[in-house]
Amino acid sequence: MRQGVPAGRAGPHVTDGARTARAAPNRPREVDAAARAAHERDAMLATAVRDAIGGTDAYGGMVYLRSRDRRSLVLCTIAGVPLSIVSAFRRIAAAGPLPVAVSYRTGRTVTLADTEDTMRRFPQLAVGMPYDFASACIPVTAGEERYGVISMLWPASVDEVSEEARRRLRTVADRLAAGLAGLEEGGHPVEPNGDTAVVELLPASPPSTRVGLFDWNVATGALSADDQFCEIFGLDPATFDGRAATLITRIAPGDLPDFRAAARAALDDGRMLAARVRVLDQDGHPYPVELWGRVPEGGPKGRTHLVGAVLDTRTGTAAAAAVERLREGVFSLDPDGRITYANRSVELLLRARREDLIGHHPWDVLSWLSDPVYENRYRAAMLSQQPTAFLAARPPDDWFAFSLYPDAHGVTGRVVAAETPPGAAERPAEPPPGAPTGVGGMYHLLQLASALSEAVTVRDVCRAVADEILPAFGGQELAIYAVRDKRLHLISQSGYPDGFLDSFEGTPIAARIPGAEALSTGTPIFFESVRQLAAAYPGIALDEMGAWAFLPLIASGHPVGSCILGFDEPRSFTVEDRGLMTALGGFIAQALERARLYDAEFALARGLQQALLPHRLPDLKDIRIAARYLPGTQGMEIGGDWYDAIVTGRDLCLVIGDVEGHSVGAAATMGQLRSAVRAFATGGHPPEEVLVRTNQLLLDLDPGLLASCCLIRLTPAEGTAMVARAGHLPPVLRHPDGQTEALYVPGGPLLGVDHRAEYPVSELRLERGSLLALYTDGLVEDPAVAIDEGVDRLSAALARAPEVADPAADGLDRMAEWLVHEVGSTHRVDDVALLLTAYG
């Protein structure tokens, strides 16, 4: 049976050459136009990131553009931030929970103040980049078209990103969007098609080296020189007579013999390399310069001319000499962490030659620094832009204190000998065998695995792989198979034509196909091109993909299934790629096994919850009620949200509540609380006493869960309402004129916190034509905004909602449906309960 690569669209005879020929433009003119458009786009991106940094005092910035399939956001341009540090985020799933993706989807600006803010709102970002910095993500939007996101970084601050910075970023983003829209209107794609461009930022300090140019006719003594050359030699460019003899008067007398010898050698050899001479300043004090020259080609007969440059390096040379005299070690790292300079003391302290250090990462050259914690210190310094310090031990018992001082252009480091810290653990004589895991790869793995950690059902797991893991690697096709009765059964697919995989259903795990063999051997299989796959499995059916990864899904030694990733272009799977995908295969397998158990519990919990929620709502004169309940889109999809409407004589009690958590236990506790509130309310207790008694009951039950609740006792005949809150969000009232307000009336703590808790009551007077909206936090939560902004968004939506005075019986139901979809997030995590009550 054929499988391995689900076949079909191109047939079994597609080759790399055929694919290339098919994709090649027909006319050279088209190639030129496409290249010009790509250059113009790249220039726009570079200008945008420079303008954004310069206008907001950010230390770094990035521009993401949407991928061709719109499933990913690809890092196209970066400045001020080492590309190696953010490599895990070069491709972000557009459907994912990261700030860049949220900004892209919603079209809103997302700002983060510091690590705490990031951890609270975007835990996956905190896992993948656990450093202290502030950020802002601005969507690049033109009309209805959304092209990508500009992301900027600042040192962490207690203050939010200023409104002035946001305004300038929006201006830059709008200008970039207009430029991209113009390219698109001209028929040129704006999607990324190459590597990430690193834009260099100019240092704040002036260059330490000055360069002057000259042309010297040795035969006549004529010397043409630019202004910089004259200034280096202490000559006035306006009055310099153009004679070499005048220049020679500026050279220290002791260096004249060497200077003349170098000039003669240059004429004989055709070039002069770094002749060092001393030039006299205005006070007659000498300072060194370097002369470089050569005999120009195609000049007059004989070697009579020298052209070249003079380098004034005294500032840099003096600085290096000063640093060389220090007893403490001083070194510098470029933005990617490679050593660019180390003084003599570094050699002596670390027992390493400079030539072995320069151009390498310290943790790659010095085995005792290969622990990822030390690389992590450098990354923390670069992303926080704050100095950091740490101790490190060289076996057997030498300790060193390192200090790192970063800016956007790199790190200056200091190292000195240190005493053994108290209680220091004994260090191993040699580092453990095996190549160390790179910090970037480790965080990338954790960040992607965190997406699986939030997935609870089998559907959640498959969606996480399709929406986040597949786009993170740039894949276009996904198939996940599960083992049942020693056969592979498809449980999820993405990117394949409808029905294409039907013929592979039930493939034996012993079959001679890559997906089955990867599982039976427990070894991932990677194919970097069609040619590789066809050679390994002659006659296998092929589709239009250019590379594949077949990952075995094995949990605790038990075969769970196979995961197949397809890529539309040939690609090289690096050692890190293979390691990450192999590790993720294990995470996917564990998540699928766990999800099967959750699915069984989910079926039980859903039945329990459906049985506990009201099956119908009261039908009263002058009162219309509508409710909506939506399960969360992640996790068990079973939570503790509930609502109720209870008729008590001439009054109506409206109740909304939320038990924390998503589990059978949360649903069971919800049922107990709903029954308790109904019993206490029906018994005629006032709202504050209903909540007090319910609080006591929850504490007595001690389920280990807290709950919020809002209760309104409405007396239609009098148009009055008594409101009591227990840690719940405020009701929203819409007045007959369409104006709305959130009722932030006084309230008490959550239920289940304090035996002595009290719950104050506030009285309201309602006019006929008013509408009350009670809701749970799942309706207004959004990781991109504060919860108060979500309440404001609900108030605004209620103000513009369709009229409630619709005589049709389902008018209020339609409004409830509209509100849920208008206000609620399509990527909500929590349940949503909404109870609307129209009076009059």
Side-chain angles (χ1 to χ4, degrees), residues 418-587:
E419 294 183 358
T420 303
E426 184 177 348
R427 299 293 300 243
E430 294 292 338
T437 301
V439 173
M442 179 177 67
Y443 284 147
H444 193 190
L445 177 62
L446 291 174
Q447 183 260 326
L448 293 175
S450 66
L452 291 172
S453 69
E454 298 175 3
V456 181
T457 68
V458 170
R459 186 178 63 182
D460 292 339
V461 172
C462 295
R463 183 170 53 234
V465 177
D467 292 349
E468 297 191 46
I469 294 176
L470 181 66
F473 288 102
Q476 283 71 42
E477 287 185 348
L478 166 73
I480 299 179
Y481 287 86
V483 174
R484 191 170 64 248
D485 299 328
K486 296 184 178 182
R487 292 179 177 272
L488 292 172
H489 297 274
L490 182 70
I491 59 173
S492 180
Q493 68 87 17
S494 175
Y496 294 102
D498 291 340
F500 179 74
L501 298 176
D502 292 349
S503 60
F504 307 113
E505 180 65 18
T507 300
I509 60 174
R512 175 76 167 87
I513 56 173
E517 288 196 340
L519 180 60
S520 61
T521 62
T523 304
I525 303 175
F526 299 92
F527 296 105
E528 299 183 344
S529 67
V530 175
R531 203 171 274 114
Q532 281 189 5
L533 178 62
Y537 294 88
I540 194 169
L542 303 174
D543 62 3
E544 288 193 357
M545 294 295 101
W548 298 265
F550 296 86
L551 308 178
L553 305 182
I554 300 174
S556 303
H558 172 67
V560 175
S562 289
C563 178
I564 304 172
L565 308 180
F567 305 86
D568 62 356
E569 297 290 341
R571 61 174 289 167
S572 174
F573 293 100
T574 64
V575 172
E576 185 174 31
D577 286 341
R578 293 170 185 249
L580 283 172
M581 291 185 189
T582 300
L584 282 170
F587 281 118

Side-chain angles (χ1 to χ4, degrees), residues 607-671:
L608 175 62
Q609 187 180 50
Q610 288 177 342
L612 293 174
L613 288 173
H615 293 289
R616 64 182 182 85
L617 296 169
D619 184 10
L620 302 175
K621 181 182 179 182
D622 295 332
I623 297 290
R624 285 178 294 135
I625 307 173
R628 283 295 180 275
Y629 173 84
L630 295 178
T633 58
Q634 295 184 15
M636 279 294 297
E637 300 186 4
I638 292 299
D641 290 20
W642 92 91
Y643 60 86
D644 208 347
I646 309 161
V647 177
T648 59
R650 66 194 197 103
D651 295 336
L652 173 68
C653 280
L654 305 172
V655 185
I656 195 90
D658 184 3
V659 178
E660 66 173 339
H662 294 78
S663 65
V664 173
T669 301
M670 175 270 284

Side-chain angles (χ1 to χ4, degrees), residues 113-196:
D114 52 25
T115 302
E116 183 178 346
D117 196 16
T118 303
M119 179 64 77
R120 178 174 57 85
R121 295 167 55 194
F122 294 95
Q124 278 197 29
L125 177 62
V127 169
M129 207 176 279
Y131 308 113
D132 203 16
F133 59 88
S135 65
C137 295
I138 311 290
V140 179
T141 304
E144 298 298 320
E145 199 67 32
R146 203 162 290 155
Y147 296 103
V149 173
I150 296 177
S151 177
M152 307 303 295
L153 303 179
W154 295 265
S157 171
V158 293
D159 301 322
E160 293 187 358
V161 178
S162 69
E163 182 54 40
E164 175 65 15
R166 298 188 201 193
R167 184 186 64 77
R168 292 186 177 183
L169 287 176
R170 282 192 289 268
T171 299
V172 173
D174 290 344
R175 190 160 55 238
L176 175 59
L180 295 175
L183 281 180
E184 199 169 48
E185 289 173 3
H188 302 293
V190 299
E191 288 76 16
N193 57 359
D195 295 331
T196 303

